[in-house]
Amino acid sequence: MKLTIIVPCYNEEQVIGATHRRLLKVIDNAHWDSEILYVNDGSTDDTVSMLSDFSNRDSRVSVISFSRNFGQQAAVSAGIHQSCGEYAAIIDADLQDPPELIPEMLALCLKEKANMVYGRRRIRKGENRFKKWTASLYCRLLNRLSEYPIPLDTGDFRLIDKRVIKTFKSLSEKNKYLRGLFAWMGFKQLEFLYDRDARAVGETKYPLTKMMRLATDGLIAISRKPLTVALHVGLVTVAVSLILALYVFVSYFSKYITTVPGWASVTLIIIFFSGVQLLTIGIIGTYLGCIFDEVKERPEYIIVNDNEKS
Ligand code: UDP
Ligand code: MG
């Protein structure tokens, strides 16, 4: 039985040494054939040379490097595309998800004959209130919009089996939101409760702008419901504007209603309807952008050096 541990890395020179030591301990003590696959997502610091060094020293360690920063989702995706064993584990490089839990996840997966075991966070250390609050709100919104349930308080930390790996490899879409995609796949999935640590060293690689992009990608990838919401808002505003038009029409001819020429109400109406139109166009535009990206058929990532050992 072979297990591939996939680790996406972007500028993680401060922590990757410690992560590597802990991962090595895990695979040294494992009773099955294991390998570590680092995916260097266009790091600009010393990460890449450190990873090459790890790989040169141990035949169980491989590295693939991207030509630029393609994002964590693409990095994990590349890792899954390269895995050829029975199981693959996905774990962040910053030690927020303890590597020592991987054998426990695998044991649970084998015992219950599951296809996937996903980590669900019981406690999230080292994350500020704003991040916890927005993350929780977003997860709930995602679930509302999704046609299939997406487990709450989960990330990419999980273990997947050959069946999931094979299905994943068969998907041709490029703009992936992994959490949603794994939930969509179905199969037998089990949750694994764990306490998430604070990032061991360094800064988060998700500044607000990147976080917002991932959040939008997630919403667009999992559901068409925002389009339906836009349609409903459009219908309601049309109905309201018809009532307003009727009022204007009646008041024009009626001697009982005196029309006071005022720009405030007119301005408000214009602002409101323009806002609704812009929102709707924005939602449609975002979907259109995703379709545009897909039809271009560019690869999801570009690998520059493939040191993968067979
Ligand atoms: N990561 C990546 N590419 C990126 C951003 C992040 O490969 O563009 C990796 C990063 O090195 C880490 C994981 O994705 O292994 C999660 O990133 P981070 O810990 O910064 O996110 P947070 O936990 O703060 O949400
Ligand atoms: Mg982190």
Side-chain angles (χ1 to χ4, degrees), residues 92 94 96 196 199:
D92 285 357
D94 61 353
Q96 281 198 277
R196 194 163 203 241
R199 174 177 257 278

Short mmCIF file of all heavy atoms in Angstrom, two decimals, residues 92 94 96 196 199, ligand 2:
data_model
loop_
_atom_site.label_atom_id
_atom_site.label_comp_id
_atom_site.label_asym_id
_atom_site.label_seq_id
_atom_site.Cartn_x
_atom_site.Cartn_y
_atom_site.Cartn_z
N ASP A 92 -1.18 21.30 4.77
CA ASP A 92 -0.50 22.58 4.60
C ASP A 92 0.94 22.49 5.09
O ASP A 92 1.26 21.66 5.94
CB ASP A 92 -1.22 23.68 5.40
CG ASP A 92 -2.52 24.10 4.75
OD1 ASP A 92 -2.82 23.59 3.65
OD2 ASP A 92 -3.23 24.94 5.33
N ASP A 94 2.51 24.75 6.84
CA ASP A 94 2.83 25.61 7.99
C ASP A 94 2.58 24.96 9.35
O ASP A 94 2.55 25.65 10.36
CB ASP A 94 2.03 26.91 7.88
CG ASP A 94 0.54 26.69 7.88
OD1 ASP A 94 0.12 25.51 7.83
OD2 ASP A 94 -0.21 27.67 7.94
N GLN A 96 -0.05 23.88 10.68
CA GLN A 96 -1.33 24.15 11.36
C GLN A 96 -2.10 22.84 11.52
O GLN A 96 -2.80 22.65 12.50
CB GLN A 96 -2.17 25.15 10.55
CG GLN A 96 -1.72 26.58 10.75
CD GLN A 96 -2.79 27.55 10.31
OE1 GLN A 96 -2.91 27.86 9.13
NE2 GLN A 96 -3.57 28.04 11.24
N ARG A 196 -6.84 22.55 15.42
CA ARG A 196 -5.92 23.17 14.47
C ARG A 196 -4.98 24.11 15.21
O ARG A 196 -5.44 24.98 15.97
CB ARG A 196 -6.70 23.94 13.41
CG ARG A 196 -5.83 24.30 12.23
CD ARG A 196 -6.66 24.67 11.03
NE ARG A 196 -5.88 24.48 9.82
CZ ARG A 196 -5.58 25.45 8.97
NH1 ARG A 196 -6.01 26.66 9.17
NH2 ARG A 196 -4.86 25.19 7.90
N ARG A 199 -0.23 28.85 12.99
CA ARG A 199 0.89 28.71 12.04
C ARG A 199 2.19 28.69 12.83
O ARG A 199 2.40 29.57 13.68
CB ARG A 199 0.85 29.89 11.07
CG ARG A 199 1.99 29.97 10.13
CD ARG A 199 1.78 31.13 9.19
NE ARG A 199 1.33 30.67 7.87
CZ ARG A 199 2.14 30.21 6.94
NH1 ARG A 199 3.43 30.14 7.15
NH2 ARG A 199 1.66 29.80 5.79
MG MG B 2 -1.99 28.22 7.40
#
